[in-house]
Amino acid sequence: MGIHQIDPALRWPYGFETEDDEEGQEAGADEDWGIDQEKRGRKRKRPRSAKRPRAATPSSASSSGPLASWNAVPKRPRSSAAKQGDTPRAGAVVVPSETEAAAAEEEEGTASSGGAGRKKAGWSCHQCHTAKRQMVECERCREEIYCTFCVKKRYPKLSVAEVRAECPCCRGICSCKRCSAKVKQSEPKSPALRICNSSRSAKKKKKADPSDKIDTLDVRAQEESKIKHARYLLHYLMPCLTELNKDQMAERETEARNLGLKLSQMNVEQADCRNDERVFCDNCRTSIFDLHRSCPNCSYELCIACCKELREEDLQGGTCREELVSYPNRGFDYMHGGDPLPELINCEETDLSSCQPKSKKWVASRGIIRCPPTELGGCGEHVLKLRQIFPKDWLNKLEINASWLNKKLEPSNIVSGECPKCTKNENSRYAATRENSTDNYIYCPKSDNGEADDLKHFQSHWVKGEPVIVQGVLQKMPDLSWEPPHMWSEVHGSSTSSDMKNVKAIDCLSCCEVEICTQDFFNGYYEGRMYENQWPEMLKLKDWPTSNHFEELLPSHGVKYIDSLPFQPYTNLKSGSLSVSALLPDDILKIDMGPKSYIAYGCTQELGRGDSVTKLHCDISDAVNVLMHTAKVAPSEEQQDAIKNLKARHEAQDEKDCCGNFAINGNDKCHKSCVGANHASSLNYIDDEEGGALWDIFRREDAEKLKIYLHKHSKEFRHIYCSPVEKIFNPVHDETFYLTEEHKRKLKEEHGIEPWTFVQKLGEAVFIPAGCPHQVRNLKSCTKIAIDFVSPENVKECLKLTQEFRKLPKNHRAKEDKLEVKKMIIYAVDHAVKILKEHCSRTRLIDIVYSRSCGRRRK
């Protein structure tokens, strides 16, 4: 409900509670008047002419009068001796007299809400005076109480635990009206008095508070940083904006030729698109940010990239096809090296090409594109009309302004070249053995609360597409528990519903989803689980709680995690000045960038099958992944012997399958080299007590050679139900491969490339640049929290990956353009232009004032 003005004749601002008032409005004008009376030493009394407010009844609450829609004004009972019928409505505020206040502190009053229950007198939030929420009592003063809602909204930098230890009142940072009034009581109320005081003689003038100077310097530094970051953004985003505008101009010129008009005479119709919705191409599933074609009959929408390919008769974006890949379940014994089920021995794999629907011919006629036939999702009747989302010429004007500012204010902080600091240094980690290479070391600084992050040093590595490891991030979150059972209880509390008793996890051996008792899952996290044959059972939870609910369900964890991440201009999802994804306007539908959690079992020994891994893939955006918790599970000697025997069975099965003896259309000769490829002895990571996960991150420039290797050796890898990989669309996007130590050795022998390989320790944050193929294996049970972000240095790579994703089949896991990086680029450039325009206007005004003052001096 909204707040309505009350007739001045009433003079007593009382009201009624509403459930919609989530922010718990402060006492407003009523409280201000009471504070003013307290300052003058008077007790607050109700005007005699005013009637006592009554609690709203269901009938009165639904009335249309202005009082019925007023928000709650919390109120305490006057005294415990009040009669039941005289007790004021719960939630209303009255400033009591001295005797009443003393009585209220000693005795309990009733909060009469239909006799539902009793609450301690004064048990309401110090900030919003609401008594219906979960409260946090200060353990220091034992007086002040804050609700968790106000802690989250008003003091986002404080966790609930920190408020419980020392409330904002004790810290001197309380922002409520009562505390603010006390702070300002000693200050002159009139601006004229302030000026008068400031112009007194030096003898009477008080010494300046050093904190004021520090605050001024901080504001100036923030403003300079804001301008510097805006210039940095333009430097990297301008080429991308120019390319986007170039593609759009080509489509406009084509449309003008088709219509027989000059470009200046053509008028493109505005699309009916709201800010809170996303528009995707119905053919390639790429997001549409501005210019596109739409069917006036069936609303089929086509991006300008697909339009261009149609005219060139080379439609690649999805090619209107779906690919079906079958991985039959050959039985539990087959997954552990045995024979398949009898009914599958002589079966042949389905020919994938025969499963595809026959494609209708869809071509452009003399540059004019009609809606595709019904088999392809359209109506096949009307010509697709050109539409635009942004206002006319808005993007062109944005490019002109951005280009002028970029040339005028070319940033001086662009970093390039080699970094001599990161060779055999404590702030670096040896991760590769490439010959004649300067990037074998990874930049690995320490996260220190007392020192600022070395942003420029980070950028010198980040701009070259190198990963970065930051140590000690977990030390910034000492008050929070990241134990998986604790987080589960924080989310679900003491709920015993059937949904909470079980959890859905991924079985790493079969790569399939399984349902398991929640308690059993967490017991296995600490103690381990195994199958009947004693082979380790690896389970993992992915994206729990779901990322779009993480901060809602775990508010303390989410806020503290974001605030503790290093390099805040990049990693702060809400206020990062160098995070392109954070610069979208508030009214634009934003992409879910995290946080996301990953809880998984782990095993130090490389098993070869069923390892707890994240298979090789390539993210469309940058990411940072922090290892928050680990638990070591050591197998018994008996289990180690069983693992050794099962590995021998796996080797025999690999040789048989690679030779083509079991319904596999492999190469003509048997690849005996694959035997043992998945079971080579792993590197010795057992001695590293802090290590939790083994990372392999490939360089972007090595991705093509990596693809060639995976295509050649694809039959040596296993995927769902431990079946050999059947079909490849794009090896680094399919997420069907994990390269073992033996495969990495062969990759270097055949193509001369190797990844950065390192162990992520507890509390370390790993920064992964967009476009770098990578894989992870858990050496222990691990809990990781990650976020995605888009940095200006890697925007070009994001655009390149968007083009690769649009060429994948329609049902591919990475098909949809969830990032919408083109839209991000436009709004980020607009954000930078506004900042720099304001800076230029202010600088020009200062120059004018300075020149005029110099002229007066000459006269």
Side-chain angles (χ1 to χ4, degrees):
M1 294 183 181
I3 298 177
H4 298 268
Q5 294 293 332
I6 296 183
D7 188 346
L10 293 174
R11 290 187 170 275
W12 180 250
Y14 59 92
F16 299 86
E17 291 187 3
T18 62
E19 292 182 358
D20 294 336
D21 183 19
E22 285 194 4
E23 291 195 12
Q25 296 284 347
E26 296 175 6
D30 186 28
E31 184 181 347
D32 294 341
W33 183 83
I35 294 171
D36 189 59
Q37 297 302 309
E38 285 186 338
K39 290 179 184 177
R40 300 180 186 181
R42 301 175 187 174
K43 291 185 289 185
R44 174 175 171 180
K45 298 178 181 179
R46 188 192 327 241
R48 294 179 181 177
S49 60
K51 296 181 179 180
R52 182 185 304 276
R54 297 181 181 178
T57 61
S59 60
S60 63
S62 61
S63 65
S64 59
L67 294 180
S69 58
W70 260 72
N71 290 318
V73 182
K75 184 175 290 184
R76 278 191 297 235
R78 286 176 293 164
S79 70
S80 61
K83 294 181 180 180
Q84 179 79 17
D86 254 351
T87 305
R89 182 178 55 82
V93 169
V94 172
V95 180
S97 64
E98 288 85 346
T99 55
E100 290 171 341
E105 288 178 359
E106 293 176 1
E107 300 181 21
E108 290 185 355
T110 59
S112 60
S113 55
R118 298 176 180 271
K119 289 189 178 180
K120 187 178 178 180
W123 188 264
S124 62
C125 176
H126 175 86
Q127 184 86 27
C128 67
H129 308 291
T130 302
K132 291 188 176 180
R133 301 193 180 103
Q134 185 178 355
M135 300 296 178
V136 181
E137 185 178 9
C138 178
E139 295 177 352
R140 180 176 178 181
C141 64
R142 297 289 181 181
E143 294 179 1
E144 303 304 337
I145 301 165
Y146 288 77
C147 69
T148 54
F149 184 86
C150 286
V151 172
K152 178 183 175 182
K153 279 284 184 181
R154 307 284 184 176
Y155 311 102
K157 292 187 178 180
L158 293 178
S159 66
V160 173
E162 290 172 337
V163 172
R164 184 178 291 110
E166 188 177 10
C167 68
C169 228
C170 295
R171 297 171 187 262
I173 59 171
C174 183
S175 60
C176 75
K177 289 187 177 180
R178 189 178 297 275
C179 293
S180 300
K182 291 177 182 178
V183 172
K184 294 179 181 178
Q185 200 167 6
S186 60
E187 297 179 2
K189 295 183 180 179
S190 169
L193 286 175
R194 292 196 186 101
I195 295 171
C196 181
N197 288 343
S198 65
S199 61
R200 290 179 180 175
S201 61
K203 189 179 288 186
K204 294 183 179 180
K205 188 184 292 184
K206 294 181 180 179
K207 291 183 178 180
D209 187 357
S211 63
D212 294 340
K213 186 175 181 181
I214 293 172
D215 290 343
T216 306
L217 292 174
D218 285 345
V219 172
R220 188 179 300 170
Q222 290 175 6
E223 188 66 23
E224 290 176 357
S225 177
K226 187 178 176 182
I227 294 166
K228 182 174 71 174
H229 290 168
R231 293 163 65 182
Y232 194 84
L233 280 169
L234 277 191
H235 175 80
Y236 286 104
L237 300 184
M238 263 307 301
C240 302
L241 178 63
T242 301
E243 192 65 27
L244 294 179
N245 263 343
K246 181 181 176 183
D247 293 340
Q248 293 213 140
M249 186 56 67
E251 188 65 24
R252 289 178 185 273
E253 290 172 352
T254 301
E255 179 72 1
R257 282 196 303 271
N258 292 339
L259 297 176
L261 299 173
K262 293 182 180 179
L263 192 61
S264 58
Q265 297 174 331
M266 191 181 67
N267 187 29
V268 179
E269 189 175 334
Q270 203 74 21
D272 183 16
C273 177
R274 303 190 309 272
N275 286 343
D276 61 347
E277 67 179 3
R278 296 177 184 140
V279 184
F280 289 92
C281 175
D282 287 310
N283 180 57
C284 70
R285 302 305 299 161
T286 302
S287 65
I288 293 172
F289 66 96
D290 186 26
L291 208 62
H292 63 284
R293 292 190 176 274
S294 178
C295 178
N297 180 44
C298 67
S299 299
Y300 186 95
E301 289 170 322
L302 195 69
C303 68
I304 58 176
C306 286
C307 292
K308 181 182 178 182
E309 292 174 355
L310 267 173
R311 294 190 187 98
E312 295 172 352
E313 298 184 3
D314 185 27
L315 185 60
Q316 297 182 17
T319 61
C320 309
R321 76 182 192 278
E322 290 187 3
E323 295 285 354
L324 305 176
V325 182
S326 174
Y327 286 98
N329 184 357
R330 297 183 170 101
F332 179 81
D333 192 45
Y334 176 80
M335 289 191 288
H336 291 282
D339 293 328
L341 294 174
E343 61 267 23
L344 292 173
I345 291 179
N346 297 319
C347 80
E348 291 291 332
E349 294 296 328
T350 306
D351 184 9
L352 298 175
S353 60
S354 65
C355 296
Q356 307 309 312
K358 294 181 179 179
S359 298
K360 288 276 185 177
K361 191 71 173 176
W362 183 27
V363 294
S365 175
R366 297 180 181 179
I368 298 174
I369 301 175
R370 303 186 72 86
C371 191
T374 53
E375 292 84 354
L376 302 180
C379 64
E381 296 178 1
H382 294 75
V383 174
L384 298 182
K385 302 293 184 182
L386 197 62
R387 298 284 186 270
Q388 63 184 14
I389 295 176
F390 289 111
K392 183 180 180 181
D393 294 331
W394 185 81
L395 276 180
N396 289 331
K397 292 175 183 176
L398 177 64
E399 183 187 358
I400 292 169
N401 290 333
S403 180
W404 182 83
L405 288 167
N406 190 41
K407 291 177 182 176
K408 183 178 178 63
L409 303 171
E410 179 66 27
S412 58
N413 59 329
I414 301 301
V415 291
S416 60
E418 305 301 333
C419 178
K421 299 180 183 179
C422 296
T423 305
K424 297 181 181 179
N425 188 292
E426 62 176 1
N427 286 341
S428 62
R429 187 172 298 179
Y430 192 57
T433 58
R434 306 181 190 97
E435 296 179 1
N436 303 320
S437 177
T438 58
D439 58 2
N440 289 331
Y441 287 84
I442 294 178
Y443 178 45
C444 186
K446 293 180 180 178
S447 182
D448 189 356
N449 285 323
E451 296 181 7
D453 295 325
D454 192 347
L455 193 65
K456 192 170 183 179
H457 194 168
F458 167 78
Q459 290 172 334
S460 68
H461 293 274
W462 194 247
V463 74
K464 294 184 289 185
E466 298 176 7
V468 173
I469 307 168
V470 181
Q471 309 172 58
V473 176
L474 195 57
Q475 295 174 5
K476 292 185 176 182
M477 300 172 265
D479 300 331
L480 293 177
S481 171
W482 295 93
E483 297 270 354
H486 174 81
M487 291 197 294
W488 180 273
S489 63
E490 282 278 321
V491 173
H492 302 294
S494 57
S495 173
T496 56
S497 65
S498 57
D499 294 338
M500 302 301 106
K501 288 182 179 179
N502 297 326
V503 64
K504 291 182 179 179
I506 303 295
D507 184 337
C508 296
L509 181 65
S510 64
C511 300
C512 295
E513 192 176 79
V514 295
E515 190 168 319
I516 182 175
C517 173
T518 303
Q519 188 62 45
D520 291 343
F521 176 83
F522 288 124
N523 288 341
Y525 179 90
Y526 292 98
E527 302 168 4
R529 289 175 61 86
M530 58 185 178
Y531 300 104
E532 294 178 358
N533 57 7
Q534 295 190 340
W535 187 259
E537 182 182 5
M538 296 288 122
L539 301 177
K540 62 180 180 179
L541 287 179
K542 188 175 181 180
D543 197 9
W544 173 91
T546 53
S547 51
N548 55 335
H549 292 118
F550 190 98
E551 289 188 88
E552 177 186 335
L553 298 175
L554 290 167
S556 300
H557 291 73
V559 172
K560 193 67 176 177
Y561 173 82
I562 295 294
D563 291 343
S564 301
L565 288 174
F567 311 119
Q568 281 285 298
Y570 287 91
T571 56
N572 195 305
L573 297 178
K574 295 180 180 177
S575 60
S577 53
L578 288 176
S579 176
V580 179
S581 53
L583 302 179
L584 287 170
D586 293 335
D587 61 336
I588 297 295
L589 190 61
K590 292 179 174 57
I591 314 301
D592 177 24
M593 307 297 283
K596 306 170 185 176
S597 66
Y598 301 88
I599 303 175
Y601 299 178
C603 180
T604 305
Q605 182 183 6
E606 187 178 78
L607 300 173
R609 289 192 192 184
D611 282 294
S612 177
V613 299
T614 299
K615 293 188 176 182
L616 186 73
H617 68 288
C618 191
D619 291 325
I620 194 173
S621 64
D622 305 305
V624 55
N625 184 302
V626 186
L627 182 58
M628 310 302 295
H629 182 267
T630 61
K632 186 174 182 179
V633 179
S636 63
E637 291 186 5
E638 182 184 357
Q639 186 179 13
Q640 288 179 355
D641 292 338
I643 292 172
K644 186 177 180 181
N645 294 332
L646 286 169
K647 277 189 173 184
R649 293 185 68 188
H650 295 168
E651 288 181 5
Q653 187 184 52
D654 288 339
E655 182 178 3
K656 181 180 178 181
D657 286 358
C658 284
C659 289
N661 293 333
F662 179 69
I664 291 179
N665 298 322
N667 294 333
D668 294 337
K669 63 178 185 178
C670 176
H671 292 291
K672 290 188 178 181
S673 61
C674 77
V675 177
N678 292 335
H679 315 297
S681 59
S682 59
L683 298 178
N684 185 16
Y685 300 112
I686 302 176
D687 297 336
D688 194 346
E689 288 298 325
E690 295 183 351
L694 177 66
W695 286 73
D696 295 304
I697 304 178
F698 290 87
R699 299 184 298 185
R700 292 171 185 156
E701 56 267 31
D702 295 337
E704 290 304 317
K705 291 181 179 179
L706 178 62
K707 290 177 185 178
I708 294 171
Y709 176 86
L710 293 174
H711 273 287
K712 178 181 177 182
H713 297 273
S714 63
K715 298 299 181 184
E716 300 170 21
F717 294 86
R718 295 181 180 272
H719 192 37
I720 299 173
Y721 298 123
C722 289
S723 297
V725 173
E726 293 299 331
K727 190 171 181 67
I728 303 173
F729 304 106
N730 188 312
V732 297
H733 298 323
D734 294 347
E735 205 168 337
T736 56
F737 300 97
Y738 179 83
L739 284 85
T740 60
E741 297 297 332
E742 178 64 18
H743 272 298
K744 286 186 285 186
R745 183 190 64 78
K746 290 166 62 178
L747 175 65
K748 188 169 184 178
E749 281 182 2
E750 295 180 19
H751 297 280
I753 62 172
E754 65 172 300
W756 288 287
T757 300
F758 58 90
V759 174
Q760 182 186 20
K761 300 179 181 179
L762 184 65
E764 288 186 342
V766 178
F767 284 77
I768 311 105
C772 288
H774 58 282
Q775 60 181 24
V776 190
R777 182 169 71 85
N778 296 316
L779 306 175
K780 299 175 183 176
S781 293
C782 294
T783 299
K784 307 189 196 85
I785 311 291
I787 65 163
D788 300 323
F789 65 98
V790 179
S791 60
E793 298 93 336
N794 294 331
V795 161
K796 281 187 177 179
E797 195 65 30
C798 296
L799 288 172
K800 176 184 173 184
L801 288 169
T802 301
Q803 283 298 105
E804 290 183 9
F805 286 179
R806 67 181 290 272
K807 297 177 182 178
L808 296 171
K810 282 191 173 182
N811 57 335
H812 196 279
R813 55 165 292 276
K815 175 63 176 178
E816 188 173 310
D817 178 16
K818 297 178 182 178
L819 190 62
E820 298 188 87
V821 67
K822 296 177 183 178
K823 184 189 292 185
M824 289 182 181
I825 291 169
I826 292 167
Y827 282 110
V829 171
D830 183 50
H831 170 84
V833 166
K834 287 176 181 176
I835 291 175
L836 295 177
K837 268 190 171 182
E838 182 184 350
H839 167 66
C840 289
S841 300
R842 191 166 56 247
T843 306
R844 185 180 179 188
L845 182 61
I846 293 171
D847 291 342
I848 292 172
V849 173
Y850 178 75
S851 61
R852 287 179 179 175
S853 63
C854 290
R856 291 194 196 102
R857 289 175 186 173
R858 291 194 194 99
K859 291 179 181 179

